[in-house]
Amino acid sequence: MVRLSMMALWLGSLALTLASVNANITNIFALTNKKYLSETLDADHYLAFAQLRSLAVEFFDHYSNVTLADLHLNERLPTLQDLECLADLALLSKDLASSKYWALKMIDSWGLLPSGVLVGNWWNLGNFDECIGIDHAVTSTHSVQGKYCFTKLALAPGISSRLVIKSAVCFPASCSAAHMDTMLRRLFKSLLSVEISTDVQLVDEATCQTAEEKEYDGLTIFTIVILSILAALVGLSTLYDYFLCRDEKSLNPVVKAFSARANSRALFRLVDNKANPNVIDCLHGIRCLSFIWVVYCHDYLIFAMSPNINMGVVLTWIDSFYSLFVKHGVYAVDTFFFLSGLLLVVIALRSMDKTKGKLNIPMMYLHRYLRLTPLLAFAILIYMKILPIMGSGPLHGSVNFDDYTSCEDTWWMTLLYVQNVATNRLCISHSWYLAVDMQLYIFAPFLLIALYRWGKKAAAGIFILMMLLACCLFSIMVINNLSLGAQGDEAMRKLYYATNTRASPYLIGILFGYFLHLNRGKDFKLSRITVIFGWLIGLSLIATCQFAVYGQNTLPIVEEAFYVTLTRIAWPLGLCWVVFACMHGYGGLANSFLSSPLWQPMSRLSYSAYIFHMFIEGLNGGNTQTSTYFSDYQVMLRFWSDFGFTMLFSYLMYILIEAPFAGLEGLLLPAKRPSSSKLAVPQPQVAELKTSADESPVEEPKEASTTVEEIPAPGPEKNSV
């Protein structure tokens, strides 16, 4: 009891220390400052705390003679669950006294009060498998099973929910979280004289898990069945293709659409860069590097939700130079918008030249919708119903970027690509990019028609439009005093998800694509000084976007508005020079790297990989069984495993869903092909599926009805930065 009294004194001292700390995470991590703690904590109190016995021992020692009154605070008649819980706890107490193995496992699986609290270790996961593996038979019809939950204890009232000690508890599955909450609350009051408010929930049923598997609902069964049917079709088509078809050209088109052999052949075909000098090969490398950047940044978010034993080091990491690469991963989005606008214009205007300006806009919309939506629809089902039944662990279901149960209400908004404006409860949060890109695509044909009819005058109008939208973004931030890093949904909805605030890179891509269209076939002769000057400007723009705010965690709202507005213009302008230099022989090593044929398979998989990379990251993060250690190297180790499994899973989804549906879409909406020369710009990854078995991966120009079919490059979600 002396040690318990010392713990009470220590907690009281710590509560006084933390009482003035607000919810700002920077201030929370400031508590780990050695000098600050040394001045406020008594060493004897700390040593007493460090020598405490296990919370499990204290708990079962205190409740050695448990009664119904211990199970609930309010006076009420006992329920059947109360009686079952009481009986199991009494049996547990009895078997603990006689040191029965199953009862000792119940104590042994509890988490301890974590060591290293002063440096940010606020978790102890206990032993998940040991707890839920308990299954002690009492009678032929009843057994005591283990139930694993988290208990949370805030260090002081009013402190952010981030700053709580989380430790595992294990108790009979017949008891509810409410029972455990009441008993722990009374334990702390009795031993530590700590009165915990009833508004604070020590044990939440949402954190509890048992070995009992829940029955699959109808939608889960439907998802498994439909995926199984697709797998059977792919398997049968592949066997037919491999054993019964000698000539690929004679293969039935439907069988060819489902054949993993045919689709894999098209996916992994490498095209020589010299096959067509007008092909923009560097876009493959730019797209893939941007996607890799997205996955890497999201792994840092996974670590932010992980049980790190050194969360205090995040304070110094946030101020480091290296952290800028993660905090500014948002520019990967601008890269994808830039690529979408660029490819759209180059492909469409060349086709319009051949059709004398004709553009079948309804068919364009239909063609694009049918290409994007099947994979997205299956992704909603997989995230909502398959992810929860895969894997296990103390964090299973909690290390996710989204609450996928919201898909039950907002799935139709996602399939209509209006989720970024229609709701704050996004079904799959990173699908906001698809919504913005689709909305820009709906508006784009009118810009294409204007460029074709009025040329440079229309380009000037697009430039003015871009500047007006930039001014709109600046005004929204300044007038509403709204920071991009503000808490809540308003900043994300108005600044991050909004189509009008994300349009600048897309419009710059359109203008640059129009420039390339006007100068197609032209050989630019630039002096060495001009090339060096161009690279200096391009790289300076990119570096300024990344490093201009180094050492400044917060900016006055006017300065931040200038920074956000101007960098959304500067970043794609820097990319314009990179693409131009690589196209016209001034790229050097950059062109050799970005234009390597080895990027082509990943580029074709990037849409599927983007959709499902968070599936893999959430699954791997949720399977964490022990405490983790945060460092850039540890994140890199996690990245390679997540990235590798993402590519494998995206390949599976490619041959099961993306490629077959794209092939069927090509059969339903066939395109007549003129005999003219092939289009010089490579179609993006999904568009290539239509000619997956052809000799060339570059699709020939079609008639105006189906020419414009550029599929957006992948992009990140709201928690990127």
Side-chain angles (χ1 to χ4, degrees):
M1 292 306 294
V2 172
R3 287 175 296 175
L4 293 174
S5 300
M6 295 301 290
M7 179 186 178
L9 292 174
W10 187 90
L11 287 176
S13 176
L14 187 59
L16 292 175
T17 301
L18 299 177
S20 61
V21 181
N22 59 30
N24 187 292
I25 190 61
T26 302
N27 292 336
I28 291 174
F29 287 126
L31 293 176
T32 62
N33 182 276
K34 184 183 299 184
K35 179 179 178 182
Y36 181 76
L37 286 170
S38 65
E39 295 175 351
T40 55
L41 291 181
D42 186 286
D44 292 336
H45 295 171
Y46 175 78
L47 291 176
F49 170 76
Q51 295 173 5
L52 282 175
R53 294 188 296 168
S54 166
L55 181 61
V57 177
E58 299 287 0
F59 179 86
F60 289 108
D61 184 30
H62 182 75
Y63 289 108
S64 58
N65 296 309
V66 62
T67 64
L68 278 174
D70 295 322
L71 298 182
H72 49 80
L73 291 173
N74 300 322
E75 296 295 334
R76 59 176 174 81
L77 293 176
T79 64
L80 179 61
Q81 185 180 21
D82 293 335
L83 297 176
E84 291 178 351
C85 176
L86 179 64
D88 288 346
L89 286 174
L91 177 63
L92 175 60
S93 179
K94 174 185 175 183
D95 286 356
L96 276 175
S98 57
S99 300
K100 294 291 183 66
Y101 182 65
W102 77 273
L104 294 177
K105 287 174 65 178
M106 187 78 74
I107 289 183
D108 189 47
S109 61
W110 277 52
L112 305 174
L113 293 175
S115 59
V117 172
L118 307 184
V119 292
N121 182 18
W122 303 321
W123 293 68
N124 194 301
L125 302 184
N127 194 303
F128 175 80
D129 290 333
E130 183 180 27
C131 177
I132 67 170
I134 296 173
D135 189 4
H136 175 64
V138 180
T139 65
S140 58
T141 59
H142 177 66
S143 63
V144 179
Q145 296 180 334
K147 186 174 186 177
Y148 180 98
C149 300
F150 275 120
T151 180
K152 298 187 294 184
L153 177 61
L155 297 181
I159 295 298
S160 169
S161 60
R162 294 176 182 268
L163 187 54
V164 294
I165 292 178
K166 296 182 181 180
S167 188
V169 294
C170 183
F171 51 95
S174 58
C175 300
S176 66
H179 290 144
M180 202 64 183
D181 185 281
T182 300
M183 297 175 76
L184 283 173
R185 194 180 304 276
R186 287 179 169 171
L187 175 68
F188 291 135
K189 182 178 181 180
S190 173
L191 299 183
L192 307 178
S193 299
V194 176
E195 186 74 36
I196 300 177
S197 171
T198 56
D199 296 332
V200 178
Q201 192 169 19
L202 298 182
V203 184
D204 186 355
E205 193 71 46
T207 68
C208 298
Q209 299 184 59
T210 65
E212 183 181 0
E213 296 183 359
K214 297 180 180 179
E215 294 184 358
Y216 295 165
D217 59 18
L219 188 56
T220 302
I221 296 174
F222 169 80
T223 303
I224 295 174
V225 169
I226 197 69
L227 289 175
S228 300
I229 292 174
L230 288 174
L233 290 175
V234 169
L236 293 174
S237 299
T238 304
L239 292 174
Y240 179 86
D241 181 10
Y242 190 82
F243 292 105
L244 300 179
C245 184
R246 296 183 179 180
D247 185 4
E248 181 184 351
K249 295 183 179 180
S250 63
L251 187 63
N252 182 280
V254 176
V255 175
K256 183 178 179 180
F258 283 94
S259 172
R261 185 190 185 197
N263 291 325
S264 298
R265 187 185 295 116
L267 175 65
F268 294 108
R269 182 186 290 120
L270 301 182
V271 181
D272 186 3
N273 295 342
K274 299 180 180 179
N276 192 324
N278 294 321
V279 170
I280 313 179
D281 292 294
C282 65
L283 298 189
H284 287 298
I286 293 175
R287 177 187 289 119
C288 293
L289 289 177
S290 298
F291 171 69
I292 291 172
W293 191 6
V294 168
V295 178
Y296 184 57
C297 292
H298 285 165
D299 271 322
Y300 273 89
L301 295 180
I302 291 292
F303 260 83
M305 294 181 281
S306 298
N308 298 307
I309 65 173
N310 63 330
M311 282 298 291
V313 80
V314 174
L315 177 63
T316 57
W317 177 86
I318 288 175
D319 293 328
S320 68
F321 182 81
Y322 188 80
S323 69
L324 296 174
F325 292 99
V326 179
K327 292 189 290 187
H328 294 160
V330 62
Y331 296 122
V333 178
D334 295 338
T335 301
F336 299 137
F337 284 128
F338 168 76
L339 294 179
S340 294
L342 167 62
L343 289 172
L344 171 69
V345 171
V346 174
I347 294 170
L349 289 183
R350 293 191 182 186
S351 178
M352 293 173 72
D353 284 344
K354 301 180 187 307
T355 59
K356 298 181 180 180
K358 294 181 180 179
L359 206 61
N360 191 331
I361 297 177
M363 187 61 68
M364 285 172 51
Y365 295 158
L366 177 62
H367 190 68
R368 185 179 185 82
Y369 185 84
L370 293 179
R371 283 299 180 92
L372 286 176
T373 308
L375 188 67
L376 182 59
F378 276 96
I380 293 174
L381 292 175
I382 291 172
Y383 274 98
M384 184 170 56
K385 294 299 180 181
I386 302 301
L387 181 59
I389 64 176
M390 294 186 66
S392 64
L395 303 180
H396 181 64
S398 62
V399 186
N400 290 328
F401 296 93
D402 309 296
D403 178 11
Y404 297 116
T405 58
S406 63
C407 292
E408 298 177 1
D409 301 320
T410 62
W411 62 268
W412 60 273
M413 301 178 191
T414 304
L415 296 183
L416 292 178
Y417 301 97
V418 296
Q419 68 271 31
N420 64 318
V421 295
T423 180
N424 290 328
R425 300 175 62 243
L426 298 184
C427 173
I428 302 177
S429 61
H430 56 294
S431 68
W432 73 266
Y433 169 80
L434 299 178
V436 172
D437 196 87
M438 177 66 81
Q439 292 159 23
L440 290 171
Y441 185 87
I442 292 174
F443 183 69
F446 304 102
L447 300 181
L448 294 174
I449 295 173
L451 287 172
Y452 181 82
R453 292 186 178 181
W454 297 295
K456 295 181 180 179
K457 293 181 179 179
I462 294 174
F463 176 79
I464 294 174
L465 174 62
M466 180 199 68
M467 297 303 297
L468 290 175
L469 291 176
C471 293
C472 176
L473 170 59
F474 180 86
S475 301
I476 291 174
M477 296 184 68
V478 174
I479 295 175
N480 297 306
N481 193 27
L482 192 60
S483 171
L484 189 60
Q487 298 293 326
D489 296 327
E490 185 180 9
M492 301 302 297
R493 181 170 53 84
K494 292 184 177 181
L495 304 180
Y496 203 86
Y497 298 152
T499 304
N500 59 304
T501 62
R502 310 297 316 207
S504 295
Y506 192 87
L507 295 178
I508 290 175
I510 287 178
L511 292 175
F512 183 62
Y514 180 65
F515 169 80
L516 296 180
H517 175 74
L518 292 180
N519 295 279
R520 62 189 183 278
K522 182 179 179 180
D523 188 15
F524 287 85
K525 298 294 184 181
L526 303 180
S527 66
R528 185 178 182 85
I529 298 298
T530 304
V531 173
I532 294 175
F533 189 68
W535 275 107
L536 286 175
I537 293 178
L539 294 179
S540 295
L541 289 172
I542 293 174
T544 300
C545 295
Q546 282 276 41
F547 310 122
V549 293
Y550 174 57
Q552 303 180 63
N553 289 327
T554 59
L555 292 172
I557 190 61
V558 175
E559 294 182 21
E560 182 183 355
F562 272 117
Y563 174 76
V564 172
T565 302
L566 296 179
T567 53
R568 287 189 179 173
I569 297 175
W571 183 268
L573 288 178
L575 294 178
C576 287
W577 169 257
V578 175
V579 175
F580 175 83
C582 291
M583 286 183 64
H584 294 282
Y586 302 109
L589 292 176
N591 182 54
S592 300
F593 179 69
L594 295 175
S595 300
S596 172
L598 297 179
W599 294 116
Q600 294 174 16
M602 187 190 300
S603 180
R604 298 175 188 128
L605 278 177
S606 59
Y607 177 55
S608 178
Y610 163 64
I611 292 293
F612 289 105
H613 79 279
M614 288 188 178
F615 178 90
I616 297 297
E617 290 181 327
L619 178 63
N620 290 343
N623 287 339
T624 300
Q625 296 271 2
T626 59
S627 297
T628 55
Y629 182 83
F630 173 81
S631 71
D632 292 318
Y633 182 70
Q634 293 297 322
V635 177
M636 181 63 73
L637 293 178
R638 168 66 67 86
F639 161 76
W640 284 116
S641 60
D642 286 346
F643 179 73
F645 280 106
T646 292
M647 298 314 298
L648 291 175
F649 191 73
S650 63
Y651 170 69
L652 177 63
M653 293 296 100
Y654 175 87
I655 62 175
L656 279 183
I657 302 171
E658 186 178 354
F661 278 91
L664 294 177
E665 187 266 346
L667 295 176
L668 294 175
L669 299 176
K672 298 180 181 179
R673 300 190 175 195
S675 59
S676 56
S677 61
K678 292 183 178 181
L679 184 63
V681 178
Q683 297 282 0
Q685 62 274 17
V686 181
E688 289 175 357
L689 296 174
K690 199 165 186 178
T691 56
S692 58
D694 295 343
E695 291 298 321
S696 172
V698 178
E699 198 168 10
E700 296 180 1
K702 310 174 186 66
E703 298 204 344
S705 60
T706 56
T707 294
V708 184
E709 57 174 83
E710 200 274 317
I711 301 300
E717 52 80 38
K718 67 178 182 180
N719 290 320
S720 296
V721 183

